[in-house]
Amino acid sequence: MVDDAKLELMLARDELHQLVTSYCRAVDRSDYAALRQLYHPDATDSHGSFSTGGVEQFIAQLQAAEPYVRVSQHNITTTNFVVEGPDHQTARGEVYCLVFHTFAGPGHDIDVIIGGRYLDNYTKHDGRWKFSARTIVADWSYQNDPSQVNFEHPSTRGSLRGQPGQADPSIGFFAPQA
């Protein structure tokens, strides 16, 4: 016999996991239209001194930083979701992440690697989960100055190179097939 309550909870957690991984792809590929759709219009996003406010302010900061971002890779690891409300229409999440960035510097590139968590509030409207509030918690951060990127090992030599934004090889990969 199927336990409907457990099934509903599992589906909600799967949809929330899809939401947080969609965020990673949208940020890393500079897909601001997709990113905007993941937030409620009045949602807040607090990324420390980088950006605190609404989603439009966050997107504006991402756009301003875009010329300096050589690598952007957000990775989700552990996820903890609590689905709440009488009809399971609200939820909270603690989402562990590893974030890898290479930024263009004045004389050379700099790698910044961050281990942290997102503390999220979610609300479901019209059958779709979205962020209502997102706050980053940085647990640790490393900087390599200058950047130490090296693709000469046989496991990476000759491979496609990922790029932030719409020039990444995955953009064409997911394009509709004729």
Side-chain angles (χ1 to χ4, degrees):
M1 173 152 232
V2 174
D3 182 332
D4 288 339
K6 281 187 178 181
L7 181 59
E8 185 178 337
L9 183 60
M10 287 172 48
L11 289 172
R13 287 179 177 158
D14 183 65
E15 291 168 4
L16 291 166
H17 190 268
Q18 180 63 40
L19 174 67
V20 298
T21 58
S22 294
Y23 166 91
C24 295
R25 178 166 174 73
V27 170
D28 291 343
R29 301 287 69 85
S30 304
D31 189 343
Y32 304 120
L35 183 61
R36 191 174 281 111
Q37 294 302 311
L38 303 177
Y39 287 83
H40 290 286
D42 61 343
T44 60
D45 191 299
S46 180
H47 269 72
S49 64
F50 179 75
S51 177
T52 299
V55 66
E56 293 303 325
Q57 180 182 354
F58 178 53
I59 289 173
Q61 285 297 100
L62 290 172
Q63 290 172 320
E66 199 171 321
Y68 307 99
V69 178
R70 301 227 194 278
V71 172
S72 180
Q73 190 178 83
H74 291 71
N75 299 273
I76 300 304
T77 60
T78 305
T79 57
N80 298 296
F81 299 114
V82 176
V83 180
E84 303 171 312
D87 295 325
H88 297 112
Q89 299 298 304
T90 61
R92 290 175 289 131
E94 178 186 42
V95 178
Y96 284 66
C97 59
L98 295 170
V99 180
F100 300 85
H101 290 298
T102 300
F103 295 105
H108 53 270
D109 291 350
I110 299 169
D111 297 326
V112 179
I113 305 166
I114 305 163
R117 292 166 285 137
Y118 295 104
L119 300 179
D120 294 331
N121 290 311
Y122 317 99
T123 308
K124 191 174 188 179
H125 287 289
D126 297 325
R128 189 162 175 226
W129 288 103
K130 292 187 178 188
F131 296 107
S132 54
R134 175 158 255 213
T135 301
I136 186 75
V137 176
D139 292 318
W140 54 265
S141 178
Y142 295 113
Q143 292 184 29
N144 290 324
D145 183 4
S147 174
Q148 301 293 315
V149 177
N150 182 336
F151 291 111
E152 292 308 312
H153 189 272
S155 65
T156 56
R157 190 180 318 124
S159 65
L160 295 173
R161 300 287 186 261
Q163 300 178 48
Q166 296 295 297
D168 186 77
S170 69
I171 300 303
F173 181 78
F174 283 111
Q177 301 295 311

